[in-house]
Amino acid sequence: MSEPLLTIRNLRASVDDKEVLKGIDLSVAAGEVAAIMGPNGSGKSTLSNVLAGRDGYEVTDGEVRYDGQDLLAMEPEERAATGVFMAFQYPVEIPGVVNATFTRTALNAQRKARGESAIDAIDFLKGARATLARLEMDEDFLRRDVNAGFSGGEKKRNEIFQMAMLEPRLAILDETDSGLDIDALRIVATGVNAMRNPERALVVITHYQRLLEYVVPDSVHVLADGRIARSGDRELALELERAGYAAFQPA
Amino acid sequence: MTDAWLAGQRTAFAACRDSLPGSGTPWVDALRAEAFRQFEEDGPPTARIEEWRSGPTAALTGQVFAPAAPDGARHAEVPAPYLEGPRHRLVFVDGRFSRDHSDAGEPPKGVRLTTLSALLAENPQAARDLIGDPDAFAEERLSRVTDRRPQALVALNTALASDGAVLLIEDGVALAHPLEIVHVARDTDEPRAHHLRTLIALGAGARAHVVEVHAGGGAGVWTNHVTDIAVGAGARLEHVRADAGSVAAVHVDVAHARLRAGAAYAGFVLAATGGAVRTETRLALEEPGADGEVNGVCLARGSGHIDALTRLDHHAREGTSRQLWRGIFADTARGAFQGRIRVLPDASGTNAALDNRNLLLNAGARAESKPELEILTDDVACSHASATGELDADALFYLRSRGLSEQLARALLMEAFTGAVADRIAHEGMREFIRRLVDDRLHALGSATS
């Protein structure tokens, strides 16, 4: 087996001088769907923020290799250009920036960084319409301002739409299932499943198991108190659903 | 310094009063003399005058500007037309009409498109008659204006106005194509003042779109520009003013508009500078059902200073007004917005809103926002909002995480911030022009801070 697409080794990180990640080890191969589950306060959002490169998180030890590169040394936009996508738990509202313009600007910024030619507006629109249809999203989404006035479900679907358009090699979905009703969950899951292919890795970060009923993971990792406490297959998620996180909580 | 500055203005008036447009015509001479007397009485603007509290008084009176000399317009570098498509274009260079650079086209019947100098030279009595209410025009609009004194710079403009565009439209006539007025100020070694007067009068039910652009400029240029506007009953004027000046010019731009019953004035102001800008807009909604809109975008960099003032006075019932202002200040630039809605006792049923937001791009930048409501009657709906902050860090990160460079992300957010104002411009060609100009100026802000 070749080198995993994503390798996290002994990752330690602090927020406001408080250590939250206490030595994470995790590998995700291309083609794999890995679920990271954990109770509140276990470090899930810190992990996703560190991987995305948000300010305010201090990495004190360890490393993250992505496709043979030092991910932590890269600016957020460099991570995006090299194929890393973060679907945020709380997508930001940006009034005044039209969704279509934003998504095409992002796509072309990434393509430019990779030395590829820009996609023109017409080709972009063609692809965007097809993707929207697949996600059961109205074309109106393209004309609306980015997430402005969107419902929780619409924001999450907009993240999936962007993911589909940007075609990342590594997608990290941070609590994408939170706040979704059952129909929205099914649509989001369909969108995520459509992304599965042998070249691409997906990391699904979630508190609950319910998204994993639709997006069946290849591996499941339990994050507790800043470490991967246990790893397993899909059965582990089901076990957590029955027994809860009690066994992983600090006494 | 102000003594020397005042003395400089006296010298200037004495030197050119006999050669200004309309000179030799008794009512014009009397008006100019009276205006200069009033200017002296009011004195130069100082921070002690409430309306000039945050104004660029030091930049204004810090050097003595002599009136620009009327030569060499032929060889001036005049920008290509700003508006695409059919338009009427009047170009003024160093305060004088430049026939060579203008293209007035063929205005429809019922439209008089000319210049202040031509109007006063050809037939001063007709000029007086054309204007309709000569006393009001001469005494109030050309000198005492419509608001409280002191208005020293307006009075000085009346005394020294060297030229300006004149647009007079008869009842029921629409100017189909927009009018583009361009003022080019050339930089010189000596400090030079440009006193320009634009007159716009729309008869009942008339329609027009006018854009006034100030170009050129430089460290030695002071522009003192006044636009007098009368909008007749049921008439509609869209009026865009853009300062595309260069660093360190002192630019004073004042527009006064009087609105009759059911008249509409839609104004937009773009102030973009590294120098000093004072922009004033005063609307008097004099009769019932008038609608006033005054929106603006202020972009300052370097040690630039933009002082924006609005005065919207609702005199009569059922009037509506809106004000939407956005400012972005980089480096050590500073901005001030003083916006006032005044609802007078007879103006019941008024609906007025004012919204001012500012972005500070650097720790050294400052912005001050002072919305004022003065409501002297019941049964009105007035609102105001103001806020000053930085670019949203979460939004920046979100955009960068999608692959946009920090610079591109900042530019996109700034474009969104100002775009909502520019989008209010109804005329497509003028809107596109302003959007391009704003983008261009935002780029200058971006590179100033990166």
Side-chain angles (χ1 to χ4, degrees):
Chain A
M1 194 171 165
S2 59
E3 186 189 356
L5 190 61
L6 177 73
T7 308
I8 303 175
R9 280 195 204 99
N10 189 34
L11 180 66
R12 289 174 176 269
S14 301
V15 184
D16 297 332
D17 289 331
K18 185 177 178 288
E19 185 167 67
V20 180
L21 302 185
K22 300 173 180 176
I24 291 191
D25 290 287
L26 180 71
S27 295
V28 183
E32 182 179 344
V33 174
I36 297 179
M37 302 183 67
N40 293 329
S42 59
K44 294 196 304 292
S45 52
T46 299
L47 177 61
S48 66
N49 281 318
V50 167
L51 293 177
R54 190 191 287 269
D55 281 344
Y57 296 83
E58 195 198 348
V59 174
T60 53
D61 201 4
E63 64 168 355
V64 179
R65 310 282 305 172
Y66 161 76
D67 195 26
Q69 304 166 80
D70 178 1
L71 188 74
L72 300 180
M74 301 160 94
E75 294 292 337
E77 57 268 34
E78 293 174 318
R79 299 180 197 203
T82 192
V84 179
F85 180 90
M86 169 71 62
F88 290 97
Q89 182 177 7
Y90 302 110
V92 181
E93 298 194 13
I94 311 181
V97 178
V98 176
N99 227 355
T101 311
F102 162 59
T103 309
R104 189 161 74 89
T105 303
L107 180 60
N108 282 335
Q110 291 193 17
R111 292 179 64 90
K112 189 178 169 192
R114 295 193 293 260
E116 298 164 13
S117 64
I119 301 273
D120 72 32
I122 293 165
D123 288 341
F124 172 79
L125 220 55
K126 237 183 261 173
R129 288 203 175 111
T131 304
L132 286 172
R134 208 148 37 78
L135 294 172
E136 301 179 37
M137 287 162 72
D138 197 284
E139 272 186 33
D140 192 38
F141 260 92
L142 291 173
R143 289 185 291 273
R144 292 168 71 181
D145 288 353
V146 179
N147 296 327
F150 283 26
S151 70
E154 285 177 330
K155 284 180 184 172
K156 296 299 175 73
R157 274 193 277 169
N158 200 20
E159 295 290 281
I160 301 303
F161 165 71
Q162 291 172 32
M163 175 172 76
M165 293 306 296
L166 295 172
E167 300 184 307
R169 289 185 62 205
L170 170 66
I172 301 157
L173 287 75
D174 187 8
E175 307 271 2
T176 296
D177 51 342
S178 69
L180 294 185
D181 64 28
I182 191 71
D183 290 326
L185 184 71
R186 181 184 52 76
I187 291 165
V188 163
T190 306
V192 174
N193 282 329
M195 298 292 293
R196 296 183 81 150
N197 77 30
E199 311 296 318
R200 183 177 285 137
L202 299 173
V203 176
V204 180
I205 298 174
T206 180
H207 184 98
Y208 301 103
Q209 183 293 131
R210 60 180 202 150
L211 178 63
L212 305 181
E213 287 176 18
Y214 300 91
V215 180
V216 178
D218 300 303
S219 61
V220 174
H221 310 271
V222 180
L223 184 63
D225 194 27
R227 290 186 191 86
I228 300 294
R230 211 172 131 190
S231 295
D233 59 14
R234 191 191 175 193
E235 286 305 311
L236 179 55
L238 297 172
E239 185 188 323
L240 288 169
E241 187 73 3
R242 286 192 303 273
Y245 290 110
F248 300 99
Q249 303 278 35
Chain B
M1 189 65 208
T2 53
D3 286 347
W5 191 80
L6 270 175
Q9 302 310 323
R10 283 190 198 103
T11 308
F13 186 54
C16 67
R17 61 185 300 175
D18 294 333
S19 58
L20 289 167
S23 174
T25 304
W27 73 270
V28 178
D29 287 341
L31 173 67
R32 293 206 189 255
E34 166 62 15
F36 195 81
R37 191 203 58 71
Q38 191 192 310
F39 160 73
E40 287 186 293
E41 188 185 316
D42 288 348
T46 70
R48 284 191 299 277
I49 299 166
E50 177 60 19
E51 288 194 346
W52 278 86
R53 210 169 46 87
S54 48
T57 51
L60 189 61
T61 55
Q63 52 186 338
V64 179
F65 300 89
D71 59 1
R74 212 175 275 270
H75 309 292
E77 278 182 40
V78 172
Y82 294 104
L83 299 179
E84 289 168 7
R87 73 194 115 60
H88 310 278
R89 188 178 204 227
L90 296 184
V91 176
F92 297 80
V93 176
D94 290 347
R96 265 86 181 172
F97 178 59
S98 172
R99 192 173 304 279
D100 293 346
H101 296 108
S102 297
D103 178 13
E106 287 183 24
K109 193 174 176 308
V111 174
R112 182 87 201 265
L113 178 56
T114 181
T115 64
L116 188 63
S117 54
L119 191 66
L120 291 170
E122 285 162 15
N123 190 340
Q125 193 53 46
R128 238 183 144 173
D129 295 343
L130 255 176
I131 285 154
D133 182 355
D135 287 338
F137 185 76
E139 298 302 325
E140 291 177 38
R141 304 209 31 247
L142 260 176
S143 61
R144 292 226 172 90
V145 302
T146 60
D147 212 297
R148 283 189 283 230
R149 292 174 64 193
Q151 298 290 344
L153 297 186
V154 175
L156 185 64
N157 179 286
T158 305
L160 289 171
S162 57
D163 213 344
V166 175
L167 173 66
L168 306 169
I169 306 185
E170 290 175 10
D171 291 355
V173 175
L175 186 65
H177 305 311
L179 167 60
E180 174 178 313
I181 303 167
V182 183
H183 298 294
V184 181
R186 289 184 300 162
D187 201 10
T188 53
D189 297 336
E190 300 282 301
R192 294 292 178 207
H194 304 255
H195 301 280
L196 283 145
R197 191 68 161 236
T198 303
L199 307 177
I200 300 171
L202 271 59
R207 296 272 184 283
H209 301 273
V210 177
V211 58
E212 295 191 81
V213 188
H214 291 267
V221 170
W222 169 31
T223 48
N224 182 31
H225 179 229
V226 176
T227 303
D228 287 302
I229 300 162
V231 190
R236 180 184 161 80
L237 173 67
E238 179 157 54
H239 183 213
V240 168
R241 297 137 73 196
D243 161 29
S246 61
V247 174
V250 185
H251 180 65
V252 179
D253 188 54
V254 177
H256 300 96
R258 302 170 68 166
L259 280 61
R260 305 287 293 271
Y265 172 86
F268 173 88
V269 175
L270 170 64
T273 192
V277 172
R278 159 79 166 196
T279 172
E280 294 183 12
T281 309
R282 299 170 189 271
L283 301 193
L285 285 67
E286 295 182 335
E287 295 183 347
D291 179 66
E293 179 157 357
V294 181
N295 303 324
V297 171
C298 300
L299 309 172
R301 64 185 193 283
S303 56
H305 179 179
I306 297 175
D307 187 44
L309 177 129
T310 67
R311 293 288 180 260
L312 270 75
D313 290 359
H314 289 258
H315 294 271
R317 65 189 159 75
E318 310 295 337
T320 49
S321 71
R322 294 163 306 287
Q323 301 182 63
L324 184 67
W325 286 75
R326 295 289 181 263
I328 306 182
F329 303 94
D331 308 319
T332 58
R334 54 185 290 228
F337 174 79
Q338 290 187 78
R340 190 187 69 194
I341 301 166
R342 186 160 57 159
V343 183
L344 290 140
D346 291 339
S348 60
T350 290
N351 191 322
L354 184 164
D355 181 334
N356 170 230
R357 282 170 219 280
N358 297 302
L359 278 181
L360 305 179
L361 298 185
N362 302 85
R366 278 183 294 154
E368 192 185 341
S369 181
K370 194 180 163 207
E372 300 166 56
L373 294 181
E374 196 179 321
I375 299 173
L376 307 173
T377 187
D378 299 328
D379 181 29
V380 299
C382 291
S383 68
H384 68 85
S386 88
T388 297
E390 297 168 9
L391 277 176
D392 182 352
D394 286 336
L396 267 180
F397 175 68
Y398 186 77
L399 296 177
R400 292 180 68 195
S401 78
R402 293 294 181 258
L404 278 68
S405 67
E406 185 168 3
Q407 197 179 354
L408 190 55
R410 292 173 73 95
L412 199 64
L413 291 179
M414 290 193 279
E415 208 180 297
F417 186 70
T418 55
V421 188
D423 282 349
R424 299 266 187 114
I425 299 171
H427 187 276
E428 191 183 350
M430 298 197 330
R431 186 173 63 243
E432 289 307 311
F433 157 56
I434 289 298
R435 288 213 69 139
R436 283 197 305 275
L437 193 55
V438 169
D439 285 355
D440 187 55
R441 297 288 137 177
L442 285 177
H443 193 75
L445 278 192
S447 53
T449 53
S450 62

